[in-house]
Amino acid sequence: MKISIGKKGLMLILLIGSVSLADSGRLTNVGTTAAPFLEVGVGSRAIGMGGAFVAVANDVSALYWNPAGISRIARPEAVFERVEWLADISFNYFGAVMPLGRWGTAGVFLNAMSVPKMTVRTIDFPNGTGEMFDASSYAAGISYSFALTDRFSIGVNGKYIEERIWHEKARSLAFDIGTFYQTNFRSLRIGATITNFGNSMSLDGSDLIIYHDADPSIDGNNDRIMGKMMTDEWPLPLNMQFGIAYDLLTTKFIRMTIAADAFHPINNSESINAGTEIALLDMLFIRAGYQAIGQTDTEEGLTLGGGLRYQLFGQSYIKFDYAFADFGRLKNVSRYTLRLDF
């Protein structure tokens, strides 16, 4: 019995974590990798800057953008984020870092994406079987960064990845490697990362079990031999990224940072993210950026954001960040992020 999930269900599955769409009339690699939710950027601060954060990477969201950056965090810090993504998909992220003094900096993170439940429809029951199905993806991992010198640091993430649709699951292990360098030229910083380096993924589960007649021409044989359908393997969305950041203006009252990142993913064309952040009294923040410059068939574009830093309980701080991202013909996305340092 064949299962049909319907037009809406297919759209939801294809959009999980997707950050761009391909024109069907052109040849691109969009849709050729597993676990696309890994490409959804983390942190309203970074997204407000257009996702140009590899060489900024000086808060807890560096766990996602460049693990080498967490070596620059002097105090324990945590981040919580919930985003209503495209097509009613929910995206959640938690991360925390702990400086270990001369032993470096450690971190943990969890990001998860889920699709709301939908009706199972089949050829025999086009209006529904009475069952419901959903889909989800998550990645959990640990991070470690160490400053080799006062200017150069390296970091690595190790993560377990799992995707599920109804009773089928796919699993993999992957690594991210990042480097950060503070140059001798004023405030110029350079960052580079390779993300999602790991095994390919393929779905497996009870819904792939079938019953087969090995030879229909023979009467009286066993026509209910158990078998299982095989699914293709798909690689993870491996991405190489290089970024630069520079404080264009620094005074007692105001700081203006500009940044740009170059992307080379295996599942899309190369692109550039660019953005800026203006900090007023290190308390109020205004951000703007543009994503996927030069990318083929993208719906991404302008981003805007802001933030507020407020002191709590003596030396602790709470930080609220907001970001807006334009997705063209799709639903625009707003996200809210809470960061804490202790």
Side-chain angles (χ1 to χ4, degrees), residues 116-138:
K117 289 187 176 181
M118 292 172 284
T119 301
V120 175
R121 305 177 190 274
T122 69
I123 295 175
D124 297 325
F125 300 95
N127 294 322
T129 65
E131 297 174 287
M132 303 292 287
F133 83 97
D134 63 354
S136 63
S137 306
Y138 76 90

Side-chain angles (χ1 to χ4, degrees), residues 46-54 65 241 261 263 273-274 290-291 303:
I47 298 303
M49 296 180 65
F53 209 71
V54 168
W65 298 98
Q241 195 167 338
D261 287 3
F263 291 80
N273 290 353
Y290 206 92
Q291 300 185 94
T303 66

Side-chain angles (χ1 to χ4, degrees), residues 22-329:
D23 187 317
S24 59
R26 301 180 184 179
L27 294 177
T28 70
N29 290 325
V30 173
T32 60
T33 56
F37 78 102
L38 296 173
E39 299 175 275
V40 178
V42 169
S44 297
R45 181 186 177 206
I47 298 303
M49 296 180 65
F53 209 71
V54 168
V56 179
N58 58 357
D59 66 36
V60 63
S61 63
L63 287 167
Y64 175 85
W65 298 98
N66 184 353
I70 67 172
S71 66
R72 305 166 61 208
I73 299 175
R75 303 153 59 116
E77 191 168 340
V79 61
F80 308 88
E81 183 171 68
R82 178 175 175 83
V83 183
E84 290 303 318
W85 194 241
L86 305 172
D88 297 326
I89 299 170
S90 295
F91 177 80
N92 300 277
Y93 185 87
F94 165 77
V97 297
M98 172 65 73
L100 304 175
R102 65 189 183 94
W103 303 106
T105 305
V108 295
F109 59 89
L110 172 67
N111 59 325
M113 184 170 276
S114 61
V115 171
K117 289 187 176 181
M118 292 172 284
T119 301
V120 175
R121 305 177 190 274
T122 69
I123 295 175
D124 297 325
F125 300 95
N127 294 322
T129 65
E131 297 174 287
M132 303 292 287
F133 83 97
D134 63 354
S136 63
S137 306
Y138 76 90
I142 57 175
S143 181
Y144 179 75
S145 178
F146 187 78
L148 299 177
T149 71
D150 60 341
R151 293 185 177 272
F152 181 77
S153 59
I154 187 169
V156 61
N157 291 336
K159 53 192 174 184
Y160 171 82
I161 304 162
E162 181 173 298
E163 292 201 294
R164 177 188 60 82
I165 177 168
W166 208 9
H167 303 120
E168 275 61 63
K169 293 182 179 180
R171 304 176 179 89
S172 183
L173 296 174
F175 297 90
D176 306 329
I177 300 173
T179 58
F180 176 89
Y181 179 61
Q182 174 74 56
T183 72
N184 288 319
F185 181 75
R186 298 183 182 178
S187 62
L188 181 66
R189 290 94 73 193
I190 299 172
T193 62
I194 298 176
T195 57
N196 305 318
F197 181 79
N199 298 325
S200 297
M201 301 177 71
S202 63
L203 286 167
D204 189 20
S206 60
D207 292 322
L208 299 178
I209 296 175
I210 59 173
Y211 295 95
H212 178 67
D213 188 343
D215 190 348
S217 65
I218 300 177
D219 293 332
N221 70 329
N222 184 358
D223 61 355
R224 299 279 293 172
I225 298 175
M226 184 178 291
K228 179 177 283 190
M229 293 185 289
M230 295 180 63
T231 59
D232 287 336
E233 289 189 345
W234 298 91
L236 295 174
L238 182 69
N239 180 47
M240 290 175 284
Q241 195 167 338
F242 175 84
I244 57 174
Y246 181 73
D247 292 336
L248 193 64
L249 176 65
T250 304
T251 72
K252 181 179 179 181
F253 304 103
I254 186 171
R255 171 183 53 80
M256 182 179 183
T257 301
I258 57 174
D261 287 3
F263 291 80
H264 180 74
I266 66 168
N267 60 355
N268 211 325
S269 55
E270 291 82 2
S271 65
I272 294 174
N273 290 353
T276 184
E277 177 183 62
I278 299 174
L280 304 174
L281 301 174
D282 201 26
M283 182 176 66
L284 181 64
F285 303 88
I286 302 170
R287 306 175 184 112
Y290 206 92
Q291 300 185 94
I293 300 170
Q295 191 173 88
T296 304
D297 304 313
T298 184
E299 294 294 336
E300 295 180 272
L302 178 69
T303 66
L304 300 169
L308 179 65
R309 180 174 181 257
Y310 184 76
Q311 189 172 11
L312 287 175
F313 312 122
Q315 306 242 341
S316 297
Y317 287 88
I318 183 169
K319 304 164 187 176
F320 297 99
D321 294 305
Y322 167 80
F324 165 87
D326 178 18
F327 277 87
R329 293 170 295 176

